[in-house]
Amino acid sequence: MTAVSVPTSTSFDLGPARALSCRECGHETPLAAEYACVECFGPLEVAYDFGRIRREDIESGPRSIWRYRGLLPVPSTVQSHPNTEPGGTRLVQADRLAKALGLRKVWVKDDTGNPTHSFKDRVVGVALAAARELGFTVLACPSTGNLANAVAAAAARAGWESVVLVPSSLEQAKILMTAVYDGALIAVDGNYDDVNRLAQELAAEHEDWAFVNVNVRPYYAEGSKTLGYEVAEQLGWRLPDQIVVPIASGSQLTKVDKAFREFGELGLVEQTPYKVFGAQATGCSPVSAAFKDGHDVVRPVRPDTIARSLAIGAPADGPYVLDAVRRTGGAIEDVTDEEVVEGIRLLARTEGIFAETAGGVTVATAKKLVETGKLDPDAETVLLITGDGLKTLDAVSHTLSPLATVPPSAQAVLDALAKR
Ligand SMILES: *Cc1c(COP(=O)(O)O)cnc(C)c1O
Ligand SMILES: [Zn+2]
């Protein structure tokens, strides 16, 4: 009789992912479509056994998030899957913005360059690759907008069905940019937190639906690490001194921090100190409020802001955001809707980059953090611009118009310019 190999706890090939581990009590459970700890209901997170990973291995990979596949919970064959290919977005040296903000050196990580124009393509790419391995066939999500775009597009490209739930008050552009991919788009009369509750209910009933940010959330969340990896690699394999990250559920911020730590632990970068700063809109600033009050728990709020992509009143990762920001010596600030619009216009005017409201939140928060002495003006600063201004035209439309409307005459143009 030949030896039979003992089956391991799971037969899924999710690359370096070893298990799911509880962020609260550390209890480990085999890789599966689970998101809450059976012991304490705490959120689960992917735990890894990384092999040796060298810079050259990453550098020889594709110019997309898949160059980091050795650090993600996806099959090693992921490149051959018909995924979208997010990532590889530009890191822009933003000297004119730096000058306007009173900072010595600023880099803008411009994630508007992803397939559906926001960083959500990264998390959906990883969620889809993991969901396929876990046996799902339908991609689903509750969304504040950008996730809806990314899920519908990725599902279309993979030949999957999609079910997308959004608040009915969503920006028209984000509705259209989801509907065009021809999945099932459902507008729900309620805010994001209502839509999210609905998704949890449906996820429990439909076991073949991969709700990317609910039942496969541990995998989805890891996709945000690629933003941190890219920033460090594009800086020439080193960590920035300070980074400003917008907060919705807070997942992205905690994963950028995780990415920096992993790169340090794996010896891919020197373990230099860095500070993580969080940005919210005042109309939905539960994490900023908890930070300022010195609390460890985040009190839910009812969102009221033009920054709808960040309008999550009960952010799942709130406490972990507070941990990461406090541990690294950063801070969290929030800005009014008027400041958000000014932030969008400042970035456009200085760097030629048109960000959506979330980007306005990041830029305006950076400005406030400089003014209050929390961002060090001499330290190198990275701003994460996570979505495209074409998605939120309404936010700025009332402040913008042509300088003049004139008859087709050269003199009329010159007169208009002279009056400027
Ligand atoms: C979703 C989103 C964020 C933040 O995401 P979290 O990980 O939930 O904090 C930031 N910017 C944009 C444009 C988004 O769509
Ligand atoms: Zn637990």
Side-chain angles (χ1 to χ4, degrees):
M1 229 178 85
T2 53
V4 184
S5 67
V6 181
T8 49
S9 52
T10 166
S11 53
F12 298 123
D13 167 18
L14 289 170
R18 182 188 77 236
L20 294 174
S21 134
C22 175
R23 283 165 106 172
E24 289 298 318
C25 76
H27 177 78
E28 286 202 356
T29 168
L31 295 169
E34 308 272 337
Y35 63 106
C37 175
V38 290
E39 299 289 325
C40 76
F41 298 108
L44 298 176
E45 161 172 67
V46 177
Y48 298 92
D49 278 332
F50 291 128
R52 195 165 114 78
I53 294 171
R54 299 169 312 160
R55 289 179 184 173
E56 302 84 80
D57 302 331
I58 292 171
E59 284 166 346
S60 64
R63 277 189 69 88
S64 71
I65 58 169
W66 303 127
R67 70 203 277 108
Y68 306 109
R69 66 185 179 280
L71 296 149
L72 295 170
V74 296
S76 43
T77 53
V78 69
Q79 276 170 275
S80 62
H81 287 304
N83 278 313
T84 54
E85 274 128 35
T89 60
R90 58 190 185 148
L91 183 71
V92 178
Q93 188 177 322
D95 293 343
R96 284 168 44 76
L97 177 63
K99 192 155 177 252
L101 292 175
L103 291 167
R104 190 177 58 79
K105 185 125 203 170
V106 171
W107 299 88
V108 167
K109 179 60 172 164
D110 180 12
D111 242 20
T112 66
N114 278 308
T116 68
H117 310 282
S118 88
F119 101 100
K120 288 295 197 304
D121 293 311
R122 298 174 181 273
V123 280
V124 170
V126 173
L128 173 58
R132 176 185 277 113
E133 178 65 20
L134 293 168
F136 288 99
T137 55
V138 177
L139 208 59
C141 71
S143 171
T144 57
N146 286 316
L147 186 59
N149 301 168
V151 161
R157 187 157 154 73
W160 282 32
E161 282 178 44
S162 63
V163 178
V164 169
L165 309 174
V166 295
S168 54
S169 66
L170 205 62
E171 296 97 332
Q172 184 69 359
K174 285 180 181 165
I175 301 249
L176 295 181
M177 289 175 73
T178 306
V180 73
Y181 300 111
D182 219 17
L185 169 63
I186 312 280
V188 179
D189 287 326
N191 64 23
Y192 175 77
D193 298 289
D194 299 323
V195 176
N196 190 34
R197 259 193 306 280
L198 192 59
Q200 303 211 4
E201 209 179 304
L202 288 164
E205 286 167 17
H206 292 267
E207 288 184 354
D208 53 336
W209 293 7
F211 275 92
V212 295
N213 51 343
V214 181
N215 50 346
V216 292
R217 184 174 178 87
Y219 308 97
Y220 154 96
E222 295 295 291
S224 283
K225 293 194 304 180
T226 62
L227 257 172
Y229 296 151
E230 270 180 33
V231 165
E233 185 183 348
Q234 288 172 317
L235 284 173
W237 295 104
R238 59 192 183 81
L239 303 179
D241 302 320
Q242 331 184 95
I243 186 162
V244 185
V245 187
I247 300 168
S249 73
S251 176
Q252 178 183 138
L253 186 147
T254 65
K255 298 301 175 178
V256 165
D257 170 55
K258 189 179 184 189
F260 287 172
R261 275 183 291 141
E262 285 176 350
F263 260 24
E265 283 158 14
L266 288 163
L268 291 164
V269 297
E270 211 184 304
Q271 287 175 302
T272 52
Y274 60 87
K275 293 183 179 180
V276 181
F277 293 83
Q280 293 207 294
T282 305
C284 182
S285 50
V287 192
S288 174
F291 178 81
K292 290 175 183 172
D293 293 345
H295 291 163
D296 294 334
V297 291
V298 173
R299 275 233 325 265
V301 300
R302 184 166 280 275
D304 179 16
T305 169
I306 57 168
R308 295 212 189 92
S309 57
L310 303 181
I312 297 184
D317 286 71
Y320 307 108
V321 167
L322 294 169
D323 284 349
V325 168
R326 288 180 178 137
R327 175 172 42 74
T328 62
I332 306 176
E333 255 305 349
D334 53 86
V335 289
T336 65
D337 284 357
E338 290 86 73
E339 289 172 305
V340 172
V341 172
E342 279 167 34
I344 292 173
R345 296 189 60 180
L346 176 62
L347 180 63
R349 166 164 93 233
T350 53
E351 298 298 334
I353 297 171
F354 185 22
E356 72 146 79
T357 45
V361 169
T362 300
V363 172
T365 296
K367 184 163 185 278
K368 197 160 174 183
L369 287 167
V370 176
E371 286 162 2
T372 54
K374 292 185 181 120
L375 271 178
D376 175 356
D378 290 320
E380 202 165 20
T381 308
V382 172
L383 307 182
L384 294 190
I385 299 303
T386 47
D388 195 313
L390 289 173
K391 296 189 182 215
T392 58
L393 288 173
D394 285 354
V396 288
S397 59
H398 64 284
T399 71
L400 302 172
S401 62
L403 179 61
T405 302
V406 300
S409 121
Q411 194 52 51
V413 172
L414 295 175
D415 288 348
L417 289 173
K419 271 196 237 124
R420 186 164 43 163

